[in-house]
Amino acid sequence: MTAPTLLVLDADPPPRLGRLTGRARIVHTDEAGLADRLPDADVLLVWDFTSHAVARAWPGEGPRPRWVHTASAGVDHLMCPALAASDTVVTNARGVFDQPIAEYVAALVLAMAKDLPRTWEFQQKREWRHRESMRLAGTRACVIGSGPIGRAIARTLKALGVTAAIVGRTPRTGIHGPDDLDRLLSRADWVIAAAPLTDATRGMFDLRRFGVMQPSARFVNVGRGPLVDEDALAEALSKRWIAGAAVDVLTHEPLAPDSPLWQVPGLLVSPHMSGDTVGWREELGAQFVELYERWAAGRPLVNVVDKSRGYVPGH
Amino acid sequence: MTAPTLLVLDADPPPRLGRLTGRARIVHTDEAGLADRLPDADVLLVWDFTSHAVARAWPGEGPRPRWVHTASAGVDHLMCPALAASDTVVTNARGVFDQPIAEYVAALVLAMAKDLPRTWEFQQKREWRHRESMRLAGTRACVIGSGPIGRAIARTLKALGVTAAIVGRTPRTGIHGPDDLDRLLSRADWVIAAAPLTDATRGMFDLRRFGVMQPSARFVNVGRGPLVDEDALAEALSKRWIAGAAVDVLTHEPLAPDSPLWQVPGLLVSPHMSGDTVGWREELGAQFVELYERWAAGRPLVNVVDKSRGYVPGH
């Protein structure tokens, strides 16, 4: 029996794959070589989760991997109509990023509540400027995204005394549906975007939605850049429709040095790092190895993406 | 019956004292007028908690207030041997600052775990620099100070998944004694100083104690500046004995513009604002009014400071 061919899209070899020695023929490729190698692969591991090459190189009706795994929570960068229509199974890194991203959101929310960015600006200028800050306990958050990341964010904010409502595509116990969104946005001190990028969520944070928010509200995006109309966000901040924002994801990453977003007043920009705590690559590698062992043994995969929806359906 | 004389040390009138109209003869004084007015006062409200004038102006054996209240958690700024030896009762603002300070500590800890200060430095330079950050859950904190503030800090860190030990002067259930301090310091990822300033705590964070901490440890001071030997802290940071620090209180406040502490690498300085959330002055005023009503009715006061120890003894 020949070992299955595991094609890995990345320049750097992922950690932990050594455990698959003898059980997989591991072939590495970069974006340029992907189209040539895809037809011969049984499994594709998209380790470089910043790449959009899979959608371009996907062989359509031709020979193709039976399973694609991406080392990321979002699958927007690899989905294309032909992949969605095929019988190829797509899995994601569900679970690895939940707690780190929830902590990162708590860090941003607390930093804004306590006005830390301005404190450190004053420190650079050697200015002692006492201000009153905001008590976090008792405030309200609206978390958009009802997957494990959104739920971990809500859980962490609740642990800090925040009343947190979650909005998802499908209303269920503890999760509001899209019909409640505008009402919840209009009452929230904190609006946290943690939704997958799909046709239904692209550009959902537009001028109208920023207009619904309170002037004291702060907006955080840890989902995907294109959830947000970035021009609208800049306008809402400049006109003080909202009090502040922090974005860890942007429509174009890395953000270009000449982008005006670096200097929008009240906007904190971080380089897509919310989920990436020390050891994350090892965790992603170990998670893939576990999935591979299931797949090779003919057991059902977990973290299977609903390709028509663009995410792993919730419980 | 003449209303008691309530002397208020502050330039600005405290809020909420209107409720005492007719029940107290309210006299305001600044530091210069304090010594003249103290002998005629029944009650002294130290509203300006930054002032050290009480210790200087205290009348000793002469006529003096029967009760002194300070609108602060610490009483170090007003205690003097004559006041300690007298039968005058001293009360403090126990309770008002617990949750705000706990949130502030959580904000600093999370900001350091997620490396937010450097992220915002990079933003100013328009640099997109992805880094790995630290997972907070599962780390260890040592909180020095077992009063309501220290306990609220430990509770809040625990809600974020941190293992938090508390060290106090007297070991009791859930509280370590001073004998455990060095051992706990040597294992802590986070060392949080939230102790009152007393003879026993002054300068307790010295070169030896920073030397005991892990090179990855971070130190936070929200207690009083003189708990820390600031030269030793600067040296420990410069030599990378510890990974970082944040101080909200300093030995000399406001910190002078030419102080070298503004620019110690890895040191975050904030202007003694950790407990001061919007509405704090109203809360302090309301708390004093409630105490005054107890006192005027002859009921026992709460928040009574043990003047020999320098804080309100714990439960």
Side-chain angles (χ1 to χ4, degrees):
Chain A
M1 191 178 118
T2 326
T5 298
L6 166 59
L7 182 63
V8 180
L9 172 61
D10 199 356
D12 303 314
R16 309 264 168 164
L17 295 197
R19 282 182 58 194
L20 298 181
T21 305
R23 294 188 287 164
R25 197 173 71 86
I26 300 178
V27 179
H28 289 275
T29 184
D30 56 11
E31 293 190 345
L34 186 65
D36 283 350
R37 295 196 175 87
L38 266 179
D40 296 327
D42 297 294
V43 179
L44 171 65
L45 168 57
V46 184
W47 186 255
D48 175 2
F49 48 80
T50 67
S51 170
H52 287 71
V54 177
R56 289 196 301 271
W58 193 254
E61 302 285 306
R64 57 187 178 264
R66 283 170 284 158
W67 169 34
V68 175
H69 177 78
T70 177
S72 60
V75 297
D76 50 280
H77 56 298
L78 58 87
M79 290 308 295
C80 60
L83 173 53
S86 76
D87 56 0
T88 294
V89 174
V90 175
T91 58
N92 76 353
R94 184 182 175 95
V96 171
F97 300 105
D98 307 353
Q99 188 56 31
I101 293 180
E103 288 184 355
Y104 201 87
V105 169
L108 291 172
V109 160
L110 274 164
M112 289 192 274
K114 304 306 177 183
D115 206 20
L116 295 184
R118 269 212 312 160
T119 293
W120 297 328
E121 276 178 42
F122 288 132
Q123 180 177 354
Q124 288 176 359
K125 294 189 274 182
R126 298 168 165 265
E127 285 180 31
W128 180 273
R129 291 253 217 123
H130 179 276
R131 290 103 60 210
E132 293 182 353
S133 70
M134 182 178 171
R135 194 184 281 239
L136 184 61
T139 61
R140 289 167 192 245
C142 176
V143 180
I144 296 89
S146 60
I149 295 173
R151 297 202 304 270
I153 291 168
R155 208 162 45 235
T156 301
L157 292 177
K158 281 178 189 171
L160 292 165
V162 177
T163 303
I166 304 176
V167 180
R169 176 158 159 168
T170 315
R172 50 198 195 275
T173 308
I175 312 281
H176 294 266
D179 289 351
D180 291 341
L181 178 59
D182 285 357
R183 184 176 55 82
L184 291 167
L185 288 184
S186 72
R187 299 173 181 192
D189 299 293
W190 313 99
V191 175
I192 317 293
L197 180 60
T198 66
D199 288 345
T201 62
R202 185 178 299 273
M204 69 181 287
F205 294 99
D206 55 11
L207 260 193
R208 190 186 70 75
R209 287 234 162 79
F210 289 119
V212 169
M213 297 178 198
Q214 299 186 61
S216 59
R218 268 109 166 191
F219 174 76
V220 174
N221 188 10
V222 288
R224 282 289 181 267
L227 297 176
V228 176
D229 174 342
E230 289 167 347
D231 290 339
L233 175 59
E235 187 176 338
L237 285 164
S238 307
K239 293 185 171 166
R240 303 197 184 250
W241 290 4
I242 61 174
V247 293
D248 186 57
V249 285
L250 291 121
T251 298
H252 301 289
E253 295 180 6
L255 190 62
D258 63 352
S259 167
L261 289 174
W262 290 113
Q263 293 197 314
V264 173
L267 181 61
L268 303 168
V269 174
S270 61
H272 200 147
M273 58 185 279
S274 72
D276 307 343
T277 46
V278 171
W280 66 300
R281 291 169 55 89
E282 288 68 24
E283 257 190 86
L284 288 170
Q287 181 185 49
F288 174 73
V289 166
E290 203 181 309
L291 283 171
Y292 186 90
E293 284 168 351
R294 279 176 170 268
W295 179 82
R299 283 186 291 141
L301 285 168
V302 295
N303 295 5
V304 175
V305 172
D306 178 329
K307 293 185 290 180
S308 67
R309 297 196 198 173
Y311 56 89
V312 179
H315 305 289
Chain B
M1 192 181 119
T2 326
T5 297
L6 166 60
L7 182 63
V8 180
L9 173 60
D10 199 354
D12 303 314
R16 308 261 169 167
L17 294 198
R19 282 181 58 193
L20 299 182
T21 304
R23 294 187 287 165
R25 198 174 69 87
I26 301 178
V27 179
H28 290 274
T29 183
D30 56 12
E31 293 190 344
L34 185 65
D36 282 350
R37 295 196 174 88
L38 266 178
D40 296 326
D42 298 293
V43 180
L44 172 65
L45 167 58
V46 185
W47 187 254
D48 176 4
F49 49 84
T50 67
S51 170
H52 288 72
V54 177
R56 289 196 302 271
W58 192 254
E61 302 284 307
R64 56 185 179 268
R66 285 171 281 159
W67 169 35
V68 175
H69 177 78
T70 177
S72 61
V75 298
D76 50 279
H77 57 297
L78 57 88
M79 290 308 296
C80 60
L83 172 53
S86 75
D87 57 0
T88 293
V89 174
V90 175
T91 57
N92 76 354
R94 184 180 175 97
V96 172
F97 300 105
D98 307 353
Q99 187 57 29
I101 293 180
E103 289 184 356
Y104 202 88
V105 169
L108 291 171
V109 160
L110 275 165
M112 289 193 274
K114 304 305 177 184
D115 205 19
L116 296 183
R118 269 213 311 159
T119 293
W120 298 328
E121 278 180 40
F122 288 132
Q123 179 177 354
Q124 287 176 358
K125 294 188 272 182
R126 298 169 165 262
E127 285 180 32
W128 180 273
R129 291 253 217 121
H130 179 276
R131 291 102 61 212
E132 291 182 353
S133 70
M134 182 178 171
R135 195 186 280 242
L136 183 62
T139 61
R140 286 168 195 247
C142 176
V143 179
I144 296 88
S146 61
I149 294 174
R151 296 203 305 270
I153 292 169
R155 208 163 45 235
T156 300
L157 293 177
K158 282 178 188 170
L160 292 166
V162 177
T163 303
I166 304 175
V167 180
R169 175 159 161 170
T170 316
R172 52 197 194 275
T173 309
I175 312 280
H176 294 267
D179 290 351
D180 292 340
L181 178 60
D182 285 357
R183 183 176 56 81
L184 291 167
L185 288 183
S186 73
R187 299 173 183 194
D189 300 291
W190 312 99
V191 175
I192 317 292
L197 180 62
T198 67
D199 288 345
T201 62
R202 186 178 298 273
M204 69 179 289
F205 294 100
D206 56 11
L207 259 193
R208 190 187 71 74
R209 286 234 162 80
F210 289 119
V212 169
M213 296 179 199
Q214 300 186 58
S216 58
R218 270 114 166 188
F219 174 75
V220 174
N221 188 9
V222 288
R224 281 289 181 267
L227 298 176
V228 176
D229 175 342
E230 289 166 349
D231 291 338
L233 175 59
E235 187 175 338
L237 285 165
S238 306
K239 293 186 171 166
R240 301 192 185 254
W241 290 4
I242 61 173
V247 293
D248 186 56
V249 286
L250 291 121
T251 298
H252 300 289
E253 297 181 4
L255 190 62
D258 63 351
S259 167
L261 290 174
W262 290 111
Q263 292 198 315
V264 173
L267 181 61
L268 303 168
V269 174
S270 60
H272 201 146
M273 59 186 276
S274 72
D276 307 343
T277 46
V278 171
W280 66 298
R281 291 169 54 89
E282 287 70 22
E283 258 190 86
L284 288 170
Q287 181 185 50
F288 173 73
V289 166
E290 203 180 310
L291 283 170
Y292 186 90
E293 285 169 350
R294 279 177 171 269
W295 179 82
R299 284 185 289 143
L301 284 168
V302 294
N303 296 4
V304 175
V305 172
D306 179 328
K307 292 184 290 180
S308 67
R309 297 195 196 174
Y311 55 89
V312 179
H315 305 287

